[in-house]
């Protein structure tokens, strides 16, 4: 049968319409079939007419990208006259959809000042300067994408085996030094064992933050949590079935994302992606932080949310969406959901707070730095107080001062009012102490056991005796 011919679809035996496409990351094996299959997918429909045909490209029919349609000069500076507040240059704005220009005093908003079009970036990625055996699948999709559509993509179009557990790893992106815990290999082993034994999907930000620095005792690598997870899975990939590691982040912040685009909207199989090191990324003149990010090559899948912007990480929106997607996947797969916090800053504290307030268990890696240390200290103090007076009470005055000082050391240079706000968040987190499990290397069980214990504590919290 020619790829351009209609393919009949046989009726199913029950349930809703299901896209029967099994596409998995494979070892250096191209997937040209997805490009053909996307235009003639089989659909099994219960109680349907005997034959149904689907001609449309299902990916581009379902998922969109965003483009700016209102050019607003970035600032009054002469060097910014050709740059829009969306982050793109003037020549990246379509004259058809962006017919007017506005001064820098005008407002710009991704919801009202962008338009959606069928996505032009999906397929698989071949990292040219990385030795990875798996070619990860990726999708650029609109910031308002339906989680139901992404669930369908992950389970049916991409064909990832249904999980029993969802593990979300979050925390430090660039300041995390795994050597500080003295337990890098144990953390990797624990994450892989927990994922392997439970047939889990692992979620991260998908960002490569590994850098090299010189120490007195030789060269040392600093890495973000995404690197830690990627390295862990890669280390065991020869011995276990591939563990799905899914990065969710902002499309507009991806370095050289144009290499992932395809003009005819038919996807790239593969897209050849030339990543760079952290030191090579362009940095902000004020904060000295990178303006973009590089994808971590050991991940198996990437979902990249498009806000119609460039060099904007949209961190708060991405965090909220990641939780929303994971909760939907938990519902449709009946899998358990647990999070692992490693180090982290202000955003990680807020994410831990959101997760715990939604009843989601969090395993905190004590001694991994910054916010993880603050939460671990607070949990230790409140447990100690419980042993003394027999009740789980709020932090005592002296203990509160200790936690506040740890918070100031972890996140310096904030105003006093900000520390008041952050202390309230910490105290709300430890008020749900049954949802927080602190793990420290060499001081108890292995990490995979701690993850299981965290799940059991959360389930017991739902069904108290």
């Amino acid at each position: 049968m020619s790829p351009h011919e209609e393919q009949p679809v046989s009726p199913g035996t029950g349930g809703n319409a299901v896209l029967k496409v099994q596409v998995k990351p494979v070892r250096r094996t191209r997937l040209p079939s997805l490009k053909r299959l996307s235009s003639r997918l089989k659909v099994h429909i219960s109680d349907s007419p005997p034959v149904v045909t689907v001609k449309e490209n299902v990916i581009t029919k379902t998922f969109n990208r965003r483009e700016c349609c209102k050019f607003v000069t970035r600032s009054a500076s002469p060097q910014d006259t050709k740059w829009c507040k969306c982050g793109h240059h003037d020549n990246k704005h379509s004259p058809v959809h962006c017919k007017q220009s506005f001064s820098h005093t005008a407002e710009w908003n991704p919801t009202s000042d962008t338009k959606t079009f069928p996505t032009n970036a999906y397929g698989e990625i071949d990292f040219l300067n990385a030795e990875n055996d798996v070619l990860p699948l990726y999708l650029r999709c609109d910031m308002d994408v339906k989680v139901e559509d992404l669930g369908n993509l992950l389970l049916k179009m991409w064909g990832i085996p249904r999980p029993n557990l969802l593990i979300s790893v979050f925390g430090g992106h660039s300041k995390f030094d795994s050597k500080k815990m003295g337990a890098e290999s144990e953390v990797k082993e624990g994450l892989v064992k927990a994922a392997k034994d439970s047939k889990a999907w692992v979620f991260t930000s998908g960002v490569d933050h590994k850098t090299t620095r010189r120490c007195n005792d030789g060269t040392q690598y600093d890495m973000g949590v995404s690197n830690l997870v990627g390295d862990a899975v890669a280390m065991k990939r020869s011995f276990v079935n591939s563990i799905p590691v899914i990065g969710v982040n902002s499309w507009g912040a991806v370095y050289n994302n144009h290499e992932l685009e395809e003009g005819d909207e038919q996807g790239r199989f593969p897209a050849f992606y030339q990543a760079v090191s952290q030191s090579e990324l362009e940095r902000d003149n004020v904060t000295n932080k990178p303006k973009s990010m590089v994808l971590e090559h050991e991940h198996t899948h990437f979902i990249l949310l498009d806000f119609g912007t460039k060099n904007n990480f949209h961190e708060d929106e991405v965090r909220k969406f990641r939780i929303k997607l994971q909760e939907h996947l938990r519902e449709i797969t009946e899998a358990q959901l647990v999070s692992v916090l490693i180090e982290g800053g202000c955003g990680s504290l807020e994410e831990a707070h959101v997760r715990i307030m939604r009843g989601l268990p969090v395993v905190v890696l004590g001694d991994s730095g910054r916010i993880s240390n603050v939460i671990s200290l607070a949990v230790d103090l409140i447990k100690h107080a419980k042993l003394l007076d027999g009740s789980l009470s709020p932090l005592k005055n002296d203990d509160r001062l200790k936690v506040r000082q740890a918070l100031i050391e972890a996140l310096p240079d904030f105003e006093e009012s900000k520390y008041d706000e952050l202390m309230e968040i910490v105290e709300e987190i430890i008020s749900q102490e049954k949802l927080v499990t602190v793990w420290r290397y060499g001081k108890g069980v292995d990490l995979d056991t701690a993850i299981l214990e965290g799940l059991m504590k959360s389930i017991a919290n739902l069904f108290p005796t």
Side-chain angles (χ1 to χ4, degrees):
M1 179 178 291
S2 165
H4 303 290
E5 293 176 357
E6 295 182 352
Q7 181 160 330
V9 179
S10 58
T13 58
N16 297 325
V18 176
L19 298 174
K20 295 292 186 181
V21 181
Q22 298 294 321
V23 181
K24 303 177 182 178
V26 292
R27 295 179 180 276
R28 285 288 174 186
T29 301
R30 306 293 185 243
L31 299 177
S33 58
L34 180 57
K35 188 171 182 179
R36 297 193 298 270
L37 283 172
S38 61
S39 63
R40 54 185 182 86
L41 294 172
K42 291 184 178 181
V43 181
H44 292 257
I45 304 177
S46 63
D47 302 321
S48 62
V51 176
V52 177
T53 59
V54 179
K55 287 185 177 181
E56 295 88 355
N57 183 317
V58 175
I59 297 289
T60 56
K61 181 181 179 182
T62 306
F63 300 103
N64 293 322
R65 71 182 192 273
R66 278 190 180 264
E67 303 285 355
C68 177
C69 62
K70 178 183 176 181
F71 184 90
V72 180
T73 304
R74 189 161 60 187
S75 74
S77 172
Q79 65 205 39
D80 279 346
T81 57
K82 292 295 185 180
W83 292 92
C84 177
K85 285 186 177 180
C86 72
H88 288 283
H89 192 270
D90 179 38
N91 60 18
K92 295 295 182 181
H93 290 71
S94 167
V96 176
H97 305 295
C98 193
K99 297 180 179 179
Q100 286 184 287
S101 297
F102 298 84
S103 74
H104 69 280
T105 58
E107 296 291 329
W108 190 92
N109 183 283
T111 301
S112 57
D113 299 325
T114 61
K115 289 184 178 180
T116 59
F117 303 90
T119 188
N120 65 346
Y122 68 94
E124 61 184 7
I125 305 174
D126 191 341
F127 288 86
L128 296 179
N129 52 348
E131 291 296 327
N132 58 312
D133 294 326
V134 173
L135 298 182
L137 298 170
Y138 74 99
L139 171 72
R140 172 191 187 181
C141 56
D142 171 33
M143 64 183 186
D144 291 331
V145 63
K146 295 178 181 178
V147 291
E148 293 83 1
D149 289 335
L150 287 177
N152 185 63
L153 173 84
L154 293 165
L155 287 164
K156 298 170 184 175
M157 296 187 196
W158 282 352
I160 311 177
R162 188 174 293 267
N164 294 326
L165 178 65
L166 304 168
I167 303 175
S168 182
V169 186
F170 69 104
H173 291 317
S174 57
K175 295 186 178 181
F176 167 55
D177 179 358
S178 61
K179 300 288 192 302
K180 288 180 181 177
M181 293 182 296
E184 179 181 337
S185 61
E186 286 75 11
V187 172
K188 290 178 179 179
E189 289 275 358
L191 286 172
V192 170
K193 191 171 189 304
K196 171 180 171 290
D197 291 350
S198 58
K199 297 182 173 61
W201 295 1
V202 183
F203 286 85
T204 79
S205 66
V207 182
D208 185 350
H209 278 292
K210 185 178 287 186
T211 58
T212 307
R213 59 187 173 89
R214 292 286 176 183
C215 300
N216 293 333
D217 57 349
T219 301
Q220 183 168 333
Y221 289 100
D222 291 342
M223 63 176 71
V225 296
S226 298
N227 295 105
L228 186 73
V229 174
D231 287 357
V233 173
M235 179 177 67
K236 295 294 184 181
R237 189 167 281 143
S238 299
F239 306 101
V240 299
N241 292 331
S242 181
I243 297 170
V245 184
I246 304 165
V248 181
N249 220 309
S250 166
W251 161 264
V254 174
Y255 172 79
N256 274 359
N257 59 17
H258 64 273
E259 295 180 354
L260 305 178
E261 294 179 331
E262 180 71 22
D264 61 6
E265 299 180 353
Q266 292 301 304
R268 303 198 66 179
F269 300 89
F272 295 103
Y273 183 70
Q274 185 74 44
V276 298
S277 68
Q278 282 286 301
S279 60
E280 296 177 82
L281 294 175
E282 183 182 358
R283 293 180 176 269
D284 185 273
N285 292 332
V286 178
T287 65
N288 197 38
K289 292 181 179 181
K291 291 184 177 181
S292 58
M293 64 185 179
V294 178
L295 299 177
E296 204 286 320
H297 66 275
E298 296 291 0
H299 282 57
T300 60
H301 304 80
F302 293 98
I303 295 172
L304 303 170
L305 301 175
D306 191 357
F307 297 84
T309 59
K310 182 180 180 182
N311 294 342
N312 191 327
F313 291 83
H314 295 278
E315 291 179 338
D316 290 341
E317 295 95 330
V318 170
R319 286 191 197 100
K320 292 174 183 176
F321 182 84
R322 199 179 293 130
I323 295 172
K324 180 181 178 182
L325 174 61
Q326 290 163 5
E327 288 186 320
H328 172 70
L329 292 171
R330 178 183 63 170
E331 180 181 345
I332 64 173
T333 64
E334 298 183 347
Q336 296 295 323
L337 171 57
V338 64
S339 304
V340 178
L341 170 60
I342 307 176
E343 205 254 355
C346 191
S348 298
L349 176 62
E350 293 170 357
E351 179 168 352
H353 179 244
V354 171
R355 288 180 180 274
I356 288 170
M357 292 300 106
R358 296 181 71 85
L360 303 175
V362 176
V363 178
V364 180
L365 268 60
D367 302 328
S368 61
R370 295 201 297 167
I371 285 305
S372 289
N373 289 5
V374 173
I375 295 175
S376 301
L377 173 63
V379 170
D380 290 345
L381 291 171
I382 205 168
K383 284 184 175 180
H384 181 68
K386 182 181 181 181
L387 289 175
L388 292 178
D389 60 24
S391 63
L392 197 60
S393 57
L395 287 170
K396 311 296 185 185
N397 287 337
D398 289 347
D399 290 343
R400 185 177 287 108
L401 291 175
K402 291 178 184 177
V403 174
R404 187 184 183 91
Q405 183 57 39
L407 193 56
I408 292 171
E409 292 174 3
L411 303 173
D413 303 325
F414 281 133
E415 298 289 337
E416 284 298 312
S417 58
K418 182 64 174 180
Y419 291 119
D420 293 338
E421 176 188 331
L422 296 177
M423 275 300 298
E424 288 183 15
I425 293 176
V426 172
E427 294 197 69
E428 285 192 6
I429 287 175
I430 61 175
S431 71
Q432 304 296 318
E433 182 261 347
K434 289 184 177 180
L435 291 172
V436 183
T437 300
V438 176
W439 179 84
R440 290 185 175 91
Y441 169 61
K443 297 182 180 179
V445 299
D446 293 337
L447 178 57
D448 58 296
T449 304
I451 291 173
L452 178 62
E453 288 180 354
L455 279 173
M456 295 301 101
K457 283 167 59 178
S458 68
I459 293 172
N461 191 48
L462 290 175
F463 305 99
T465 56

